[in-house]
Amino acid sequence: YQTYGLGFYEYFLLSEDMGAEPLPVLSCGLACQFQNEEEHCHVPVGELDSYIQDALDLIEFANGPATSTWGKVRADMGHPAPFNLKYIGIGNEQWGKEYP
């Protein structure tokens, strides 16, 4: 429930320092099914645009040129070179007919 100030940027830096491939995991719009037994703990497919945009923004932050909107944010944070992100995870421990 706490990030303690760590975000994707810090994990990208850590991955880079370790020579590892970063693998950010993004929300798929489906609440934790283990903790939420209600049927309606998901965002309807027609309302996923903001989740998709978040994923695209993160990819641009990680890989975009320093002249792009989110690449400039990364550069201004002190890392002008792209992180060369190759993978993203969508959802975390989801299952059932709602997930696909």
Side-chain angles (χ1 to χ4, degrees):
Y1 298 114
Q2 296 289 327
T3 65
Y4 297 108
L6 293 175
F8 287 128
Y9 178 69
E10 290 79 14
Y11 284 114
F12 288 151
L13 291 174
L14 177 63
S15 295
E16 187 175 74
D17 288 347
M18 294 174 59
E21 294 288 346
L23 179 59
V25 178
L26 306 173
S27 174
C28 65
L30 184 59
C32 176
Q33 293 150 297
F34 181 75
Q35 294 181 6
N36 298 283
E37 296 181 22
E38 295 179 26
E39 288 283 324
H40 304 288
C41 293
H42 65 278
V43 175
V45 172
E47 298 176 21
L48 286 172
D49 289 351
S50 65
Y51 291 80
I52 294 166
Q53 191 60 56
D54 281 346
L56 295 173
D57 290 347
L58 180 65
I59 293 167
E60 183 183 322
F61 175 81
N63 292 350
T67 55
S68 70
T69 300
W70 286 104
K72 181 177 181 340
V73 171
R74 181 197 65 242
D76 290 347
M77 292 173 78
H79 199 283
F83 285 107
N84 300 312
L85 176 67
K86 297 176 186 169
Y87 309 103
I88 59 171
I90 305 294
N92 181 34
E93 299 180 3
Q94 268 83 44
W95 63 87
K97 63 181 178 168
E98 298 88 0
Y99 182 57

